[in-house]
Amino acid sequence: MIMRILLLLPFALPFVFASVCTTAAETEPKWRSSQLERKVSLRGSAVAEASLWVTGTENAVFKSLDGGGSWQDVSVVGQPPTDFRDIEVFDDRTAMVMGVGSGSESRLYLTQDGGAHWKLLYENPDATGFFDAIAFWNRNDGMLLGDPVEGYYVVMLTRDGGRSWSRVAQDHLPPMKPKEAAFAASGNTLIAGAGAGADGEAWFTTGGFAASVYSTADFGQSWTRMPVPLYAETATAGGYALAQNHKGQVFVLGGDFQNRPGEYPNLAALGDQGWYAVSAGQRGLRTAMSCVDELCVITGKTGSDVSFDHGANWQPLPGEGYYTLAAGRGVILAAGHDGRVATLTMADRVEP
């Protein structure tokens, strides 16, 4: 049974970040953290041209127009309560949020005026269904991943910006593994390919007792599955998120929700010969990864790690951990428990 757990920029104001020297050749970035007015659990994040967005429990949606210095509450009001585990931002005024829950509690809402108003876009038609993540290649073409219904994963496609959806047929997906699970952890369980040559590529990851990555190269019409070298020895272990670095390389990360600080393989990358383990210190569950140029960060509730070479080598990143990350325009946005948000950049990195 699928585990339903975990259920800048050229802004007007410049960023000011502290840096701590780590070696003779580089400086270490430091989180600039702040507290939202509502102590909600935040699992969704996105970066647009001139705005930052985070989403979470109690229909929460918050937006910043000054690089994270202050936050506006633009939550969905007047609607049944849900937990927004994912967000897709198309521009500074247009965004889609995904709520999770059983059956109709899983919903999509759309704003076209920067969060001032939201409308219900789509409601889960399956009483036993449960949304996990959304991802878009462009404004019109996107995907939705959900827990299995009738014995196979719900992978749905849209060609009109989320107004209508069609489910991928069972014979276009590999059979599920015994005790396999998908986790709605950070909005990164499902990602669409980015960059040149990535048209039509996408990936989603699963766990349980079968850590895997499913991939497509035809805009979601058909999928293949490969095992990945992540910890997968319990029902709450395996893959939790995916990401691409600025070279286009794909990473998968995870661990075990029931043993967040444990020491186990928690990061892997896709190479020419398939998936291989990446040593990131084995410092516990990691649920999100984002990159700005050569700088990459992975994070989980218990802590974060940083790489200065596109994810090849890693070291601990001081400060608290977060649930979700998003990157764009020179900034990495993080959000986590109790309304905690943070930003990080290397724009002011100075060679000693």
Side-chain angles (χ1 to χ4, degrees):
M1 179 177 180
I2 298 305
M3 300 301 298
R4 298 175 176 183
I5 64 175
L6 308 178
L7 283 179
L8 97 118
L9 291 175
F11 288 115
L13 297 178
F15 290 116
V16 178
F17 296 96
S19 294
V20 180
C21 183
T22 57
T23 72
E26 64 193 12
T27 58
E28 181 180 274
K30 182 179 180 180
W31 291 117
R32 177 186 179 221
S33 54
S34 58
Q35 174 70 57
L36 298 182
E37 62 186 48
R38 294 166 59 192
K39 291 188 176 182
V40 290
S41 177
L42 301 168
R43 301 278 188 176
S45 57
V47 176
E49 183 74 19
S51 56
L52 308 177
W53 301 68
V54 295
T55 68
T57 52
E58 302 174 11
N59 292 14
V61 184
F62 282 79
K63 180 179 71 171
S64 175
L65 298 176
D66 58 5
S70 61
W71 291 86
Q72 305 172 17
D73 189 342
V74 293
S75 298
V76 177
V77 297
Q79 294 291 319
T82 189
D83 181 356
F84 290 134
R85 292 290 180 96
D86 203 356
I87 177 171
E88 187 80 19
V89 173
F90 302 101
D91 56 53
D92 291 309
R93 295 183 60 79
T94 310
M96 184 185 303
V97 291
M98 183 202 77
V100 302
S102 298
S104 61
E105 293 177 3
S106 286
R107 298 184 295 272
L108 302 178
Y109 291 93
L110 179 72
T111 182
Q112 295 178 295
D113 57 10
H117 302 89
W118 296 89
K119 69 175 182 179
L120 179 64
L121 194 65
Y122 185 73
E123 191 172 81
N124 193 341
D126 297 309
T128 60
F130 189 97
F131 290 170
D132 293 309
I134 54 173
F136 280 74
W137 290 281
N138 52 56
R139 179 63 184 87
N140 292 316
D141 299 311
M143 305 163 288
L144 185 153
L145 173 67
D147 281 4
V149 173
E150 299 175 345
Y152 68 107
Y153 284 114
V154 173
V155 179
M156 304 189 77
L157 305 176
T158 182
R159 298 291 181 248
D160 57 9
R163 290 168 177 79
S164 63
W165 296 84
S166 60
R167 186 178 179 184
V168 175
Q170 182 174 4
D171 59 1
H172 289 187
L173 285 162
M176 288 181 59
K177 291 291 184 178
K179 301 181 181 179
E180 190 178 0
F183 306 117
S186 65
N188 302 124
T189 310
L190 167 73
I191 64 169
D199 285 349
E201 291 186 322
W203 302 265
F204 70 85
T205 185
T206 63
F209 290 91
S212 303
V213 167
Y214 292 71
S215 63
T216 180
D218 58 7
F219 289 95
Q221 297 293 335
S222 60
W223 297 79
T224 59
R225 174 192 173 275
M226 291 183 67
V228 293
L230 296 177
Y231 180 73
E233 297 182 13
T234 73
T236 54
Y240 276 73
L242 292 146
Q244 280 185 283
N245 65 15
H246 280 244
K247 293 182 176 182
Q249 186 177 24
V250 182
F251 290 77
V252 62
L253 56 155
D256 189 346
F257 171 67
Q258 297 292 351
N259 183 18
R260 279 179 167 142
E263 295 184 11
Y264 40 64
N266 63 0
L267 184 66
L270 182 60
D272 294 338
Q273 305 302 315
W275 291 94
Y276 63 92
V278 176
S279 177
Q282 298 195 4
R283 299 196 319 118
L285 174 65
R286 294 295 182 257
T287 57
M289 173 178 170
S290 279
C291 299
V292 171
D293 298 325
E294 74 276 12
L295 173 71
C296 294
V297 174
I298 58 175
T299 195
K301 186 177 182 179
T302 60
S304 303
D305 306 285
V306 62
S307 169
F308 298 97
D309 55 8
H310 301 279
N313 298 282
W314 295 84
Q315 65 189 56
L317 177 62
E320 66 181 290
Y322 298 89
Y323 291 142
T324 181
L325 298 172
R329 296 288 178 174
V331 67
I332 294 178
L333 168 66
H337 66 285
D338 295 334
R340 299 293 296 169
V341 294
T343 50
L344 179 151
T345 183
M346 288 295 286
D348 62 340
R349 181 173 170 182
V350 178
E351 299 296 336

